[in-house]
Amino acid sequence: MSDVSDDSMAKAKRLVLGFLPQDRQPGTEEVQNAVNAIFGLLAAQGEEVDRELLFKEIRTLVAVFQERSVALTDAKGHEPWLSEAKINRDWDFWERYRRYLEDVVSLPPWVVRRLDQSSDDVLSQLEDPRRPGPWRRRGLVIGQVQSGKTGQYIGLAAKAVDAGYRFVVVLAGIHNDLRSQTQLRIDEGLLGFDTQHQSRSDQDGRSRAMGVGKMPSLVKEFKIASPTNSGEKGDFGLATAKTINFPLGSFPVVLVVKKHYKILEYVRKWVLDVHGTKDENGEETVKDFPMFVIDDEADNASINTVRDPEADPTKTNAAIRKLMRSFDKSAYVGYTATPFANIYIDPDAEHSEAGEDLFPASFIRSLPSPTNYLGPERVFGLQVDDEDESDVEPLPLVRHVNDADAWLPPKHKAGDDPGEILPGSLREAILSFVLSCAARRARGQTKVHNSMLVHVTRFTSVQARVRDQVDDHLRLIVDTIRDRYGKAPELRAELRALWERDFEPTTDCFPADQAERVTWEQVSEQLLPALRKIQVKTVNGASKDALDYYENRRNGLSVIAVGGQKLSRGLTLEGLTVSYYLRASKTYDTLLQMGRWFGYRPRHEDLCRLYTTPALEDAYVEVTSATDELRREVEEMATRGLTPTEFGLKVRSSSLGLTVTAPNKMRQGTKIMLSYSGEGPETVIFKLADRAVDHNFGELEALVRRLDASGDAEQPSTNGNVKWDGVPADVVAEFLTSYEADRMAQRVRPRLIAKYIEQCTKVGELDNWTVVLVGSTKSKEPMDVAGHTVGLVTRKALNPEGFRAEGRYTIRRVLSPPDELIGLDDGQKKAAEKAAGITANEQEKKSKSKTPAGPYIRRQRRTDQGLLLIYPIAVPDADSAGTKAPLVGFQLSFPHSEYQSKTEYVANSVWFQEDVYTLAEEDDE
């Protein structure tokens, strides 16, 4: 395919996308009509494109959807500014990058829109760089491994320099090649020139435009500079500082540096030398020169791993903190897919020299992945412990390795040699890679990158020997396939058998619009051309090989990369299809980061394969579940309007002996055992859809009728509480099973609670319930509930202006704390008050709540004694005719179980502060 036809196809795609509706996802017929129209238009101009290929690529692009991001934010000390700045500032760097993503990178339209929105959301939480006086903001963005975080923070950096940030520092991992790769991405997406040949955009005579710099020129000149470059040795150093020949402050300066304390100190001292002034304490500070730090892989090297938070922090952590402290205006945003270590940072830690730690006190934002992302849930599956949602079935891409131990034992040493004969599983994996390269060529993807990962050891010397073995085997395959009269027919028969046994059935599991069917004859024709392109390289600190994807961008690079540590975090293998992975790890974050096979595989997901052991697959299934639970908790707490410092987080521990993160990163994390034993789950998030509201009210009325049929109700005051005693557990469990909870309410899962009650009854617990329909005697809106008139309670929305538009009603608490005392006798109440009083005195709490906090009340309940409180809640601006059903909220008060098994979690310090003291909350009226 010529460059001319490539350009024509790119032009055709731009025109078709512009022709389609922008506010929704177009249908297949609309795509076909747009393709036909543009095809005819280009044909009339003498330009030819492959109409069928154009249709396939457009259909793939427009089928992708992405949800909006959510965040926990803290507005303390923050001044909103972005909406006004959007009107009166130019956003040239961002507009250039956006057009580059759409026209050159060909990102799906929805993905570009969401990147625009999410980068705005993050930027709005930073301070206006023009804001006077000292300020500081620290945030964290959580994405998924290989999901596009780099593209997101390049967009954020583009908007930051447009807004007025004049000094941007990108902390890019701990290895030279990852820093180099990140700088190259910055060169392409933000700077627009090759930093190996120039350091300023306005340099004369040596201009090497690239990426956004090759976009059709605008009238305005993009002035920007970078003292670092994309070469292997292009990091910042003392020599770099001496050769910088441009001023600071007049235009943006961007540095991409490794996370190493010496380099960070070089940067800090250089800026202080150029721009520093002494403050009233005699300390040198950079004033009125706002700095923006982007910390890529923020859970790696940035964390203070010293046990005592009061002691001197580790060197790299201290260097980042000192750099931040040296500026009177600074913003810090960490990016990671594995935030486990970050949420264990002590939010109150501060050091006399290094300053505050990097806890993301300003915001924590979670980025959802687009629907075309091949992530852990799709590779390994996900079992959802909630009947409201379906389990995610794993794609049929994992192949088990059971024959590698004789070749390379799991506990080998640096001086060990692999066995002379490659295991059959590795030989099959190499053949699978050959077939995937040939199949992509048969599908018309001839000028694309293809990569295979071989990750079996952390020792560079062993990697070198594995590389030689793989290279020898590949050369044998090439020689054999060329020899028509020797063993070529036998090898082709083996490849065909693998194709028909493995690839064809796997492709049949994918929809036709996601995986193009090609015949064995079409694939067979492409075997030799595909084989000729494949190279074998080692990727580690000792090798001179480089994965030069950029230099091969026109024709595509096909490579088998043999590596270890360097391939385990941040480094992207372009077009990765086949992975052979045996490297065990004991931590969640390392396992996820080693999963280089996650990412985007447009039109070739079905050709991807992961060869690994059953034990490693089990580990990934468990990590996927724990990570999904963490992400859902972030989303729920964001919906509840909590701040990062109120983020009481726990991460489920492993049943397989894994740990959440490295022990030295969990100094501030504490192991806890949890079940619903002694808990008080309550609903705080409600669906507003009429169907859900009516359904839950209908289930409440069914419960009340059943309670009336089996016992007498007590209602001492008009419109007040209605109480039933001696209720069987199955009545409560049936109500919970039928209740429809909001998707965001991860901490209250009614069906899981019902299962817990069922398990307790089997050992003689929770078989005697008190159920209370809570009514407000002050209410002006009494309502009939299955024959009982009760006053509706009110609970203020956390989002009073926008809950209608959002489709959910979110409150801080549904429980009025005194209600949880219902069902206790006088002795139990006094014991709860005494326990709460002792604890309050011990902690020298200045004020004591009128009601003991929930944990003290629940500690006094007998094991058979459960309480269900149901709150009918009036919805503001409900139907004026009065026919609108109320929301149905509930709280359960569980005693401590003597039998129930618990799940182990690791919790941060904030989690332990939750629910220890509660202030009495009456109705909001």
Side-chain angles (χ1 to χ4, degrees):
M1 192 180 291
S2 68
D3 290 344
V4 174
S5 59
D6 284 349
D7 291 343
S8 295
M9 179 61 77
K11 178 180 178 181
K13 281 164 46 175
R14 284 198 303 274
L15 291 171
V16 172
L17 289 171
F19 202 76
L20 292 169
Q22 303 299 305
D23 58 342
R24 58 180 173 81
Q25 290 178 284
T28 302
E29 188 176 344
E30 289 177 297
V31 173
Q32 190 69 68
N33 291 338
V35 166
N36 290 340
I38 299 304
F39 177 81
L41 177 67
L42 292 177
Q45 297 175 356
E47 294 188 64
E48 291 188 10
V49 293
D50 184 329
R51 176 159 41 184
E52 188 60 30
L53 182 61
L54 176 62
F55 172 73
K56 288 175 183 174
E57 296 208 359
I58 294 294
R59 187 173 60 178
T60 300
L61 286 172
V62 299
V64 177
F65 181 75
Q66 187 174 9
E67 298 281 355
R68 287 204 69 155
S69 62
V70 296
L72 292 80
T73 60
D74 190 346
K76 184 179 179 182
H78 176 59
E79 294 182 4
W81 63 281
L82 187 57
S83 56
E84 187 65 27
K86 282 282 186 181
I87 301 169
N88 56 32
R89 295 182 204 181
D90 295 326
W91 300 89
D92 297 329
F93 280 96
W94 161 250
E95 285 302 321
R96 182 173 72 163
Y97 182 56
R98 181 186 60 78
R99 289 190 300 116
Y100 174 70
L101 294 178
E102 291 174 342
D103 297 350
V104 179
V105 183
S106 294
L107 280 188
W110 270 106
V111 174
V112 177
R113 282 187 211 118
R114 288 298 187 237
L115 194 153
D116 187 9
Q117 289 170 340
S118 62
S119 53
D120 267 2
D121 290 337
V122 175
L123 185 66
S124 69
Q125 289 301 315
L126 309 182
E127 289 307 313
D128 182 352
R130 299 181 184 178
R131 176 184 165 182
W135 44 257
R136 186 160 297 153
R137 297 287 282 175
R138 297 190 309 275
L140 179 70
V141 177
I142 304 170
Q144 294 239 39
V145 177
Q146 302 278 87
S147 66
K149 297 186 298 299
T150 306
Q152 208 274 351
Y153 69 63
I154 291 174
L156 175 62
K159 289 181 176 180
V161 298
D162 281 328
Y165 282 92
R166 286 293 173 261
F167 192 59
V168 179
V169 180
V170 180
L171 309 180
I174 60 175
H175 295 296
N176 283 330
D177 50 0
L178 179 53
R179 190 215 66 82
S180 176
Q181 176 184 277
T182 304
Q183 175 87 54
L184 184 61
R185 293 284 304 275
I186 295 283
D187 292 359
E188 289 180 299
L190 178 60
L191 300 173
F193 57 86
D194 187 343
T195 48
Q196 291 196 51
H197 297 281
Q198 63 188 94
S199 59
R200 295 170 57 172
S201 56
D202 58 352
Q203 261 178 278
D204 295 326
R206 300 181 65 192
S207 178
R208 298 291 184 95
M210 64 187 296
V212 292
K214 287 189 170 182
M215 298 296 293
S217 61
L218 302 174
V219 176
K220 292 188 178 179
E221 184 180 11
F222 290 77
K223 279 196 172 183
I224 193 166
S226 176
T228 57
N229 69 67
S230 62
E232 184 77 5
K233 298 181 179 178
D235 209 339
F236 195 87
L238 287 174
T240 313
K242 293 175 182 176
T243 58
I244 293 172
N245 61 350
F246 47 78
L248 290 176
S250 57
F251 51 78
V253 173
V254 181
L255 287 79
V256 182
V257 300
K258 282 198 307 295
K259 277 191 267 191
H260 190 282
Y261 71 96
K262 285 186 178 178
I263 292 169
L264 292 167
E265 274 297 293
Y266 292 152
V267 172
R268 189 174 75 90
K269 288 177 179 177
W270 166 61
V271 181
L272 285 173
D273 285 345
V274 176
H275 252 291
T277 57
K278 289 194 175 180
D279 61 16
E280 57 275 10
N281 299 319
E283 288 188 27
E284 275 201 300
T285 308
V286 179
K287 291 185 178 294
D288 299 321
F289 185 52
M291 177 183 67
F292 179 29
V293 173
I294 295 172
D295 188 353
D296 194 10
E297 307 293 345
D299 63 311
N300 188 30
S302 303
I303 303 297
N304 181 19
T305 55
V306 173
R307 182 178 296 278
D308 182 1
E310 302 300 318
D312 290 343
T314 45
K315 290 181 178 178
T316 300
N317 172 267
I320 298 172
R321 290 158 69 174
K322 285 179 182 177
L323 180 63
M324 296 286 294
R325 194 179 180 187
S326 296
F327 288 73
D328 70 338
K329 309 175 196 293
S330 65
Y332 167 95
V333 179
Y335 279 79
T336 183
T338 47
F340 307 113
N342 302 82
I343 53 86
Y344 294 126
I345 297 173
D346 183 351
D348 300 319
E350 187 161 1
H351 187 264
S352 57
E353 288 186 24
E356 296 174 315
D357 207 343
L358 301 177
F359 181 82
S362 303
F363 63 90
I364 299 173
R365 180 163 292 277
S366 176
L367 298 178
S369 300
T371 51
N372 65 334
Y373 171 65
L374 185 64
E377 295 86 357
R378 297 181 66 207
V379 175
F380 299 106
L382 180 66
Q383 288 191 331
V384 182
D385 295 328
D386 191 336
E387 293 173 21
D388 285 339
E389 292 190 45
S390 301
D391 291 348
V392 179
E393 294 299 324
L395 293 173
L397 305 179
V398 179
R399 303 292 178 267
H400 286 162
V401 175
N402 295 304
D403 61 353
D405 287 1
W407 170 64
L408 192 65
K411 294 188 176 179
H412 60 272
K413 298 187 174 100
D416 292 347
D417 282 324
E420 293 183 8
I421 301 174
L422 290 180
S425 56
L426 180 50
R427 295 199 302 271
E428 181 184 298
I430 294 169
L431 292 181
S432 291
F433 181 56
V434 173
L435 286 171
S436 71
C437 293
R440 292 191 74 190
R441 292 181 67 86
R443 291 176 177 179
Q445 297 176 319
T446 56
K447 296 188 176 184
V448 294
H449 297 308
N450 293 286
S451 299
M452 175 178 175
L453 165 67
V454 178
H455 190 165
V456 296
T457 177
R458 66 188 177 93
F459 300 115
T460 56
S461 56
V462 182
Q463 290 166 21
R465 290 189 278 277
V466 171
R467 184 254 174 217
D468 291 343
Q469 286 186 323
V470 171
D471 190 54
D472 288 343
H473 187 70
L474 182 69
R475 291 176 187 276
L476 177 62
I477 293 173
V478 175
D479 291 343
T480 304
I481 211 86
R482 283 174 175 159
D483 184 4
R484 295 186 179 183
Y485 306 105
K487 292 188 177 181
E490 184 181 329
L491 177 57
R492 283 185 180 272
E494 184 181 355
L495 285 161
R496 179 171 187 166
L498 179 59
W499 176 260
E500 293 175 348
R501 181 185 77 246
D502 189 330
F503 281 80
E504 287 182 349
T506 302
T507 299
D508 287 341
C509 295
F510 287 75
D513 60 342
Q514 292 181 19
E516 182 182 344
R517 274 60 176 168
V518 289
T519 66
W520 165 249
E521 287 70 26
Q522 291 172 298
V523 174
S524 182
E525 287 178 9
Q526 299 296 334
L527 286 173
L528 193 53
L531 274 163
R532 283 176 172 151
K533 284 187 72 172
I534 300 173
Q535 307 170 51
V536 184
K537 297 189 174 189
T538 47
V539 182
N540 57 46
S543 72
K544 295 182 180 178
D545 290 342
L547 297 179
D548 43 1
Y549 293 114
Y550 184 77
E551 288 77 3
N552 291 276
R553 63 193 179 281
R554 291 201 172 275
N555 296 308
L557 177 70
S558 290
V559 63
I560 299 177
V562 180
Q565 190 64 28
K566 279 201 174 183
L567 295 177
S568 67
R569 184 182 279 272
L571 197 66
T572 299
L573 295 172
E574 301 287 351
L576 179 63
T577 49
V578 178
S579 299
Y580 191 84
Y581 174 74
L582 305 179
R583 174 85 183 281
S585 173
K586 286 293 185 183
T587 66
Y588 287 4
D589 44 12
T590 303
L591 275 170
L592 281 174
Q593 290 291 350
M594 285 181 175
R596 298 292 95 192
W597 48 83
F598 304 130
Y600 300 97
R601 308 290 184 262
R603 292 178 53 220
H604 65 283
E605 278 187 349
D606 61 310
L607 303 178
C608 295
R609 297 290 182 272
L610 169 59
Y611 286 81
T612 193
T613 64
L616 273 167
E617 184 182 22
D618 289 344
Y620 272 102
V621 168
E622 190 168 74
V623 172
T624 300
S625 179
T627 308
D628 180 72
E629 185 177 308
L630 167 62
R631 194 168 283 109
R632 287 166 181 258
E633 285 208 354
V634 172
E635 290 174 357
E636 179 184 343
M637 301 186 103
T639 303
R640 290 173 60 187
L642 299 181
T643 68
T645 50
E646 295 170 335
F647 184 27
L649 181 119
K650 61 187 189 302
V651 182
R652 187 195 305 173
S653 293
S654 166
S655 63
L656 302 176
L658 306 172
T659 58
V660 176
T661 185
N664 60 359
K665 294 182 181 179
M666 292 169 54
R667 301 293 195 201
Q668 311 308 318
T670 306
K671 287 184 178 180
I672 54 172
M673 302 294 289
L674 288 184
S675 74
Y676 285 112
S677 172
E679 292 288 299
E682 59 181 303
T683 49
V684 292
I685 303 173
F686 304 91
K687 286 184 181 178
L688 282 180
D690 288 344
R691 183 192 61 77
V693 174
D694 292 340
H695 169 82
N696 286 338
F697 185 69
E699 294 301 329
L700 170 59
E701 291 199 302
L703 170 65
V704 170
R705 284 191 289 268
R706 189 171 178 186
L707 292 169
D708 282 339
S710 59
D712 294 329
E714 297 179 22
Q715 189 174 22
S717 55
T718 304
N719 298 342
N721 294 356
V722 184
K723 179 166 77 84
W724 295 266
D725 288 315
V727 178
D730 64 311
V731 175
V732 175
E734 183 177 330
F735 167 72
L736 293 170
T737 301
S738 60
Y739 184 92
E740 187 171 337
D742 189 275
R743 181 179 63 83
M744 302 294 285
Q746 287 304 307
R747 292 195 164 193
V748 180
R749 300 188 185 181
R751 286 164 181 75
L752 284 183
I753 298 172
K755 288 178 183 176
Y756 172 78
I757 293 171
E758 183 182 341
Q759 290 167 351
C760 286
T761 58
K762 290 178 181 176
V763 291
E765 296 183 339
L766 290 181
D767 53 9
N768 180 20
W769 283 78
T770 297
V771 178
V772 182
L773 176 60
V774 180
S776 170
T777 57
K778 303 174 186 176
S779 173
K780 297 176 183 177
E781 301 182 67
M783 189 166 194
D784 180 82
V785 181
H788 298 275
T789 303
V790 295
L792 300 185
V793 302
T794 58
R795 294 290 184 266
K796 287 180 182 176
L798 292 175
N799 52 343
E801 304 301 322
F803 67 83
R804 289 283 179 197
E806 293 175 19
R808 58 173 53 94
Y809 195 77
T810 307
I811 60 178
R812 190 162 75 88
R813 296 203 73 180
V814 73
L815 174 73
S816 184
D819 292 345
E820 200 171 357
L821 291 165
I822 295 173
L824 298 186
D825 60 33
D826 289 343
Q828 288 173 312
K829 291 177 183 176
K830 287 179 180 177
E833 290 169 0
K834 182 179 179 183
I838 291 171
T839 302
N841 290 335
E842 284 177 351
Q843 297 189 3
E844 298 180 354
K845 187 123 178 119
K846 292 181 180 177
S847 63
K848 182 178 166 186
S849 61
K850 299 175 184 176
T851 302
Y856 303 115
I857 296 173
R858 296 189 287 273
R859 177 60 71 181
Q860 302 309 316
R861 290 195 175 279
R862 299 187 308 273
T863 57
D864 68 323
Q865 193 178 24
L867 172 67
L868 169 63
L869 300 163
I870 302 177
Y871 294 83
I873 303 169
V875 184
D877 306 320
D879 191 319
S880 57
T883 57
K884 180 78 176 179
L887 301 176
V888 176
F890 64 79
Q891 192 260 5
L892 295 119
S893 185
F894 283 115
H896 284 263
S897 170
E898 294 179 359
Y899 297 96
Q900 282 304 307
S901 61
K902 298 181 179 181
T903 303
E904 184 179 87
Y905 288 78
V906 181
N908 66 0
S909 58
V910 179
W911 188 90
F912 285 94
Q913 297 166 18
E914 287 186 348
D915 205 27
V916 175
Y917 295 94
T918 58
L919 296 174
E921 264 187 51
E922 303 296 340
D923 286 354
D924 295 323
E925 297 173 307

